[in-house]
Amino acid sequence: RFVDAPAFTPEVLVAFLNSCYDHAEFLMTSYRTGSNWGLMEAEGMAFIALTFPEFQQAETWKNEAFRRLNNEINLQVYPDGHQRELAMGYHLGCIDWFLRSYELAKMNGLTHAFSPAYLDRIEKMCEVPMKLGHPDGTNAQFGDAWAGTPGQHSDRFRAWATLFGREDFRYLATAGKEGAPPAETAFSLPESGLYSMRSGWDKDAICLVLKCGPDGGGHSQPDNGTFELYAGGRNLMPDAGSYIYSGDPEGRAWFRQTQVHQSLTLNGKNSAYAPTLHLWKPGKNQDVLVVENASYENLSHRRAVFFVDKRYFVIVDEAFGSGAGEVDLHFQLTPGEALFDHKNLSVTSAFQEGWNVHVRSQPQPGLKLEQEEGWVSFVYTKKEARPAFRYRIQKTAETAGIRLITLVAPFEEKIPEIEINIPGNPPVASPRLVIQVTENGKRKKLAYRL
């Protein structure tokens, strides 16, 4: 582009090439394995080696860069396709670093330097924003992630559709105008601990994305069990987000608390990362997910989610163990007005137009509905207030366990009239659970067996 420009003198060219040489030689001494920085460094070394093959060390740099990339794609990416830091922005960045180096090798006839599984793993990575994305293309804000803007991945999906011959990617790239929608509406990423259930692939579809996975490191948050709920073109229950990386440690710490997520806490303390997937059973009319987290040394949290008729959710939370104190089940809504009905233990968003969500817990002795401080960050360093609340109940060390049953029902016009009960009230943490749901006089049985 500019090598023949008058200002690009031989002296400038030599200084530029010397800088590239020094940089590649330095990168040979620095291999930050397991880090996204290591991917950037490997990409840089590959780029210098292939762009300037006249360097005597170019072949060595190239071989080392490709060796690192082949190694890192297995170290940093789970078999289910998600990058191990479990934050969408970093996941997408890693796709770029892995893929750009592969494309550079392809232009130079060097694809044989990568194992056949390398491109397969990248394709698996590209499926993640499809499987976990909301109907408008925004992201769940788990960890150091932000929702982004509708349709933000269109260009990516278009390129991936061509690269991998995927009509489902083309469908997402064109907002359904071309290609074919994905064949499934429920997805499990078991190693990453991320799951999604949706009613369909139209822009108004209902979609819930839940997290119960391992520690992703510095960009992850201790929030196992949390979820986001999207319906009718609106993110009704978004994750708090990250707010800020550095410069405001108190602000960052606030957004990382377990209690500001859709999860359960004991005495307000942060939970551990200790996930277990008990059951994943998607179906035509009902999806069932049962996960568990050993949240505290003496208290575990089991969460069962039933997506009923692809319209609403029944969530069963069980806290069991010798832990004692305040057991809180936390929920947060998107910014806007909300109606609190303390008598009926319900909270309902109050948008005048479009979709809303109704959250109601089944009454039991000692259970209270209380408002909490609520914030959400959709843009870096910016936050806005939102409705937040908890269902609080006291637990003694002698109490084997506590069960909380919550209806989470997105709706467009009228709150659905749904009643829930558990016949026989089986012990908490039982391997089998049966729930009876009654809507408009019609009964339906929800059940799981672990």
Side-chain angles (χ1 to χ4, degrees):
R1 297 277 183 180
F2 54 86
V3 70
D4 294 323
F8 206 68
T9 63
E11 290 77 14
V12 170
L13 177 59
V14 169
F16 178 77
L17 292 174
N18 278 339
S19 295
C20 290
Y21 175 88
D22 290 343
H23 190 54
E25 282 290 279
F26 170 74
L27 291 177
M28 287 291 291
T29 71
S30 174
Y31 180 13
R32 284 179 273 198
T33 182
S35 165
N36 59 63
W37 289 19
L39 302 186
M40 292 181 246
E41 292 167 348
E43 181 188 28
M45 188 156 57
F47 186 87
I48 294 171
L50 293 178
T51 305
F52 303 111
E54 59 268 33
F55 283 129
Q56 291 181 359
Q57 291 87 346
E59 187 72 11
T60 300
W61 300 337
K62 179 200 71 178
N63 291 338
E64 175 61 14
F66 289 170
R67 184 191 72 81
R68 293 181 187 183
L69 290 164
N70 276 297
N71 186 47
E72 292 301 311
I73 203 162
N74 294 311
L75 286 177
Q76 292 199 37
V77 183
Y78 286 113
D80 60 29
H82 208 299
Q83 199 264 349
R84 290 175 180 259
E85 289 173 288
L86 302 178
M88 186 58 74
Y90 286 93
H91 176 83
L92 294 169
C94 288
I95 292 176
D96 291 341
W97 296 316
F98 283 125
L99 189 53
R100 280 197 300 254
S101 297
Y102 179 87
E103 290 172 338
L104 185 64
K106 185 177 181 180
M107 284 189 285
N108 287 272
L110 297 170
T111 53
H112 62 272
F114 293 90
S115 70
Y118 185 89
L119 198 59
D120 292 340
R121 185 61 61 91
I122 293 177
E123 182 177 0
K124 201 78 172 175
M125 294 180 76
C126 296
E127 292 177 352
V128 170
M130 175 186 76
K131 293 176 176 178
L132 302 182
H134 293 310
D136 66 348
T138 54
N139 305 316
Q141 299 196 134
F142 300 147
D144 283 336
W146 284 264
T149 56
Q152 61 188 328
H153 305 314
S154 295
D155 290 343
R156 291 177 181 272
F157 281 121
R158 185 172 287 106
W160 299 339
T162 300
L163 177 63
F164 298 111
R166 295 282 296 259
E167 290 303 298
D168 49 358
F169 288 169
R170 194 173 309 282
Y171 182 90
L172 296 175
T174 61
K177 296 176 183 178
E178 300 175 20
E184 301 170 79
T185 58
F187 298 97
S188 166
L189 278 63
E191 292 86 9
S192 305
L194 292 159
Y195 312 88
S196 68
M197 312 171 182
R198 65 178 67 222
S199 60
W201 290 95
D202 57 286
K203 61 182 179 63
D204 291 330
I206 297 169
C207 176
L208 182 142
V209 185
L210 183 143
K211 173 192 172 188
C212 187
D215 186 352
H219 295 297
S220 190
Q221 295 176 350
D223 55 4
N224 273 350
T226 195
F227 63 85
E228 284 200 356
L229 172 62
Y230 180 105
R234 176 175 286 151
N235 194 338
L236 294 163
M237 302 178 73
D239 186 270
S242 178
Y243 178 54
I244 196 168
Y245 277 11
S246 60
D248 182 359
E250 291 184 1
R252 180 166 175 79
W254 191 94
F255 277 81
R256 294 176 64 80
Q257 298 176 95
T258 304
Q259 64 182 355
V260 304
H261 296 85
Q262 331 269 8
S263 193
L264 182 143
T265 60
L266 176 63
N267 297 320
K269 296 181 180 179
N270 286 342
S271 61
Y273 298 92
T276 299
L277 171 62
H278 284 303
L279 180 66
W280 171 247
K281 190 178 180 181
K284 182 178 179 181
N285 297 314
Q286 178 180 295
D287 300 327
V288 184
L289 170 65
V290 184
V291 293
E292 187 174 308
N293 193 58
S295 300
Y296 303 96
E297 183 178 354
N298 52 6
L299 193 81
S300 290
H301 171 211
R302 179 181 296 178
R303 168 162 279 180
V305 180
F306 297 89
F307 188 17
V308 186
D309 295 334
K310 307 292 185 178
R311 295 191 298 113
Y312 62 89
F313 302 86
V314 174
I315 300 178
V316 181
D317 290 288
E318 296 178 320
F320 53 94
S322 62
E326 295 171 341
V327 173
D328 293 335
L329 185 59
H330 307 270
F331 295 104
Q332 306 86 29
L333 308 183
T334 201
E337 296 297 321
L339 304 176
F340 283 76
D341 185 340
H342 291 269
K343 180 180 178 181
N344 292 310
L345 300 175
S346 72
V347 180
T348 309
S349 63
F351 293 103
Q352 297 299 309
E353 297 180 354
W355 285 60
N356 283 284
V357 63
H358 177 70
V359 181
R360 187 182 76 236
S361 186
Q362 292 295 102
Q364 60 179 288
L367 183 64
K368 298 183 294 182
L369 167 62
E370 300 176 343
Q371 291 183 244
E372 292 191 296
E373 180 183 4
W375 296 94
V376 63
S377 174
F378 295 116
V379 179
Y380 188 68
T381 71
K382 295 182 179 180
K383 61 181 180 178
E384 50 188 304
R386 62 159 169 179
F389 54 98
R390 65 184 172 223
Y391 293 106
R392 170 168 286 182
I393 192 167
Q394 298 292 324
K395 182 185 180 300
T396 65
E398 293 72 33
T399 305
I402 289 173
R403 177 185 292 126
L404 300 168
I405 306 173
T406 309
L407 170 68
V408 178
F411 65 96
E412 188 172 9
E413 295 179 355
K414 183 181 178 181
I415 300 173
E417 297 180 3
I418 299 169
E419 297 299 327
I420 306 169
N421 65 76
I422 297 184
N425 194 29
V428 171
S430 171
R432 183 173 182 270
L433 185 66
V434 177
I435 300 173
Q436 183 175 283
V437 175
T438 305
E439 182 180 7
N440 299 325
K442 296 182 179 180
R443 292 183 178 179
K444 185 183 297 289
K445 185 176 76 172
L446 314 178
Y448 70 71
R449 183 187 293 273
L450 306 182

